[in-house]
Amino acid sequence: MRPNIVTEAGLQTRAGQWWESIPFLTSAVVVVCGVIYLVCLLSGYDSFYEICFLPTAVVSHFQVYRIYTSILFHGSVLHVLFNMLALVPLGSELERIMGSIRLAYLIILLATTNAIFHLFIALLVAHNPFHPYPYLMNECAIGFSGILFSMIVIETSLSGVQSRSVFGLFNVPAKWYAFILLVVFQLLMTNVSLLGHLCGILSGFAYIYGLFNFLMPGASLFSAIEASSWLSSCVRRPKFILCTGGSPTSYIPTYSGQNTTSSGLLTGNIWRNLSSWMPQRETSAQAEQDYRFPGRGRSLGSGQSETVPAVNSDSNLQARLLDNSNPDLSSHLGVTATREPLLDGRSSVAGNAVGATLGRPALLQHPAPSEEQIQKLVSMGFDKTQVEVAISAADGDLNVAVEILMSQQG
């Protein structure tokens, strides 16, 4: 009996830890969709025709509520289970980048734009002069999967990966990943809304290319919402992630190597996009109270770089390194990044450029940054001279270069 008890306790503990790792809004959506399905199941409610997204009902009776009720209801236990299991990693990743309130707004925006695309295509197909096809106008679509396809497109763009695996069977180019999933699900499953999923993909691409920028409020509005009294009970919860990145339990995911994190969602440039939605760093006065980066510090950059323990001198060297009046200084420095110890013993990413020694031999100098790397960071609004120095200081790692530039601005 005791081994079974221990096993059950271990599973329960791991399940609890997994659930606690899911951010506030993502876990709330999972709970809401799960509870709605259970209520429908226990009460015997199956009149999904009344709440699904039905283009003909939206057009003829202006039942716009269907845009939002349709994403919360699911037709079967497998439907809700698969959708929520897919939502957890996708929603968690985006929520940690954007914040809970901003992600909630994004979900509402995607639900609305998905419905608009769905309605437009259904009307176009049903009333085209060549071969009218009214079936799409009477298609009843429910489920969260349309939003999930939008999230797949957005998350894939933010990750910066070049390829992705489809169920571990084969790799496909990242830009085609959502379309491959669309075809695979259409072939493997019945009663799948091809148009609903396709519209989710279209909304995702419209978002990452900046077509919805005029619909996105500024950070000040989200901060005002977070500061409101009616939301205070939610904001105080440990899993809630502030849009400003101020939640002690939140963090900004970073990628290394081929998984380079992009920085924005502005027109024509993915690197410029994420910076507008990424939780901003605390100011230098608040940096010592940032608990988002627990753990021991480690050196970043090339293997020949050397860390310098004097933090004050590190900060001075960083200012000299990124000073416009000394653009050639980086060619004489070996650079690494360190973490500053916090008051409670934790470590926080300082993003500081730490010089090793002056007069380093030419063989150990960092290679010149490529024009593509420079343009990516210049498009984010950084000065070109500072960008060149920061990329050289980061040994070509754009993540570290962005950390250096953002720390200098702060």
Side-chain angles (χ1 to χ4, degrees):
M1 291 297 293
R2 178 169 294 276
N4 292 335
I5 294 175
V6 172
T7 301
E8 292 176 2
L11 291 175
Q12 183 178 5
T13 300
R14 287 194 292 270
Q17 292 174 344
W18 172 78
W19 179 254
E20 288 301 319
S21 68
I22 303 174
F24 177 80
L25 181 70
T26 303
S27 58
V29 173
V30 172
V31 169
V32 169
C33 291
V35 169
I36 288 177
Y37 177 76
L38 288 177
V39 171
C40 292
L41 182 66
L42 297 177
S43 63
Y45 179 83
D46 58 358
S47 301
F48 298 122
Y49 197 80
E50 299 176 355
I51 50 87
C52 67
F53 183 77
L54 188 63
T56 184
V58 175
V59 172
S60 59
H61 302 291
F62 201 65
Q63 296 177 350
V64 294
Y65 67 86
R66 293 176 177 269
I67 296 176
Y68 309 105
T69 57
S70 61
I71 68 174
L72 299 177
F73 286 79
H74 293 79
S76 67
V77 63
L78 290 179
H79 190 196
V80 67
L81 181 62
F82 287 156
N83 278 358
M84 295 303 102
L85 287 178
L87 172 65
V88 168
L90 287 171
S92 298
E93 182 81 357
L94 293 177
E95 186 171 354
R96 292 183 180 115
I97 295 175
M98 299 180 176
S100 300
I101 297 297
R102 184 178 282 123
L103 181 61
Y105 178 83
L106 177 62
I107 290 176
I108 296 173
L109 176 63
L110 292 176
T112 305
T113 56
N114 287 0
I116 293 174
F117 281 128
H118 194 142
L119 190 62
F120 175 77
I121 295 175
L123 286 171
L124 186 63
V125 173
H127 298 91
N128 76 86
F130 305 103
H131 183 69
Y133 188 70
Y135 170 75
L136 294 179
M137 290 295 295
N138 299 309
E139 182 184 63
C140 186
I142 61 172
F144 204 80
S145 52
I147 306 294
L148 291 177
F149 271 88
S150 298
M151 288 183 170
I152 288 172
V153 174
I154 296 172
E155 194 275 334
T156 299
S157 295
L158 295 182
S159 69
V161 296
Q162 299 300 316
S163 64
R164 284 210 149 171
S165 174
V166 179
F167 306 123
L169 300 177
F170 55 92
N171 291 333
V172 298
K175 62 181 179 180
W176 296 108
Y177 179 63
F179 292 103
I180 298 298
L181 289 182
L182 174 68
V183 174
V184 170
F185 284 126
Q186 200 66 30
L187 294 176
L188 296 182
M189 300 181 181
T190 59
N191 297 326
V192 175
S193 175
L194 173 64
L195 183 56
H197 292 170
L198 177 61
C199 292
I201 295 175
L202 295 178
S203 290
F205 277 108
Y207 180 75
I208 66 173
Y209 284 115
L211 300 182
F212 299 155
N213 282 350
F214 69 100
L215 297 173
M216 299 300 296
S220 59
L221 176 60
F222 294 118
S223 298
I225 295 175
E226 291 169 344
S228 61
S229 58
W230 59 273
L231 201 62
S232 58
S233 59
C234 295
V235 175
R236 286 196 298 265
R237 292 185 175 273
K239 299 201 298 181
F240 190 94
I241 298 179
L242 298 173
C243 294
T244 55
S247 173
T249 59
S250 66
Y251 63 92
I252 304 174
T254 57
Y255 302 83
S256 60
Q258 64 180 1
N259 295 337
T260 303
T261 305
S262 57
S263 267
L265 299 172
L266 297 181
T267 304
N269 192 299
I270 297 177
W271 267 90
R272 196 189 312 169
N273 290 336
L274 179 59
S275 61
S276 60
W277 309 122
M278 180 184 293
Q280 298 299 312
R281 285 190 172 274
E282 302 292 335
T283 61
S284 58
Q286 298 171 331
E288 295 184 352
Q289 300 179 0
D290 190 349
Y291 301 100
R292 291 177 293 161
F293 302 93
R296 291 179 176 271
R298 64 182 179 87
S299 299
L300 303 177
S302 62
Q304 292 87 356
S305 60
E306 304 171 4
T307 58
V308 178
V311 175
N312 292 333
S313 62
D314 296 347
S315 301
N316 295 332
L317 182 56
Q318 179 195 7
R320 294 164 55 198
L321 181 64
L322 297 181
D323 189 354
N324 288 335
S325 62
N326 297 282
D328 297 328
L329 183 59
S330 62
S331 62
H332 303 291
L333 297 178
V335 182
T336 185
T338 61
R339 297 171 182 259
E340 295 181 356
L342 296 180
L343 296 179
D344 65 347
R346 296 188 180 186
S347 299
S348 174
V349 172
N352 291 332
V354 182
T357 56
L358 291 175
R360 182 177 293 274
L363 293 176
L364 297 182
Q365 292 182 4
H366 297 290
S370 67
E371 186 64 25
E372 180 182 2
Q373 290 177 318
I374 295 174
Q375 289 303 322
K376 282 183 178 180
L377 299 190
V378 169
S379 64
M380 295 173 59
F382 297 116
D383 179 75
K384 183 175 181 180
T385 302
Q386 292 184 338
V387 167
E388 293 175 348
V389 174
I391 295 178
S392 298
D395 197 23
D397 190 324
L398 294 183
N399 286 323
V400 178
V402 171
E403 294 285 345
I404 295 173
L405 291 167
M406 292 180 67
S407 176
Q408 176 67 11
Q409 288 187 346

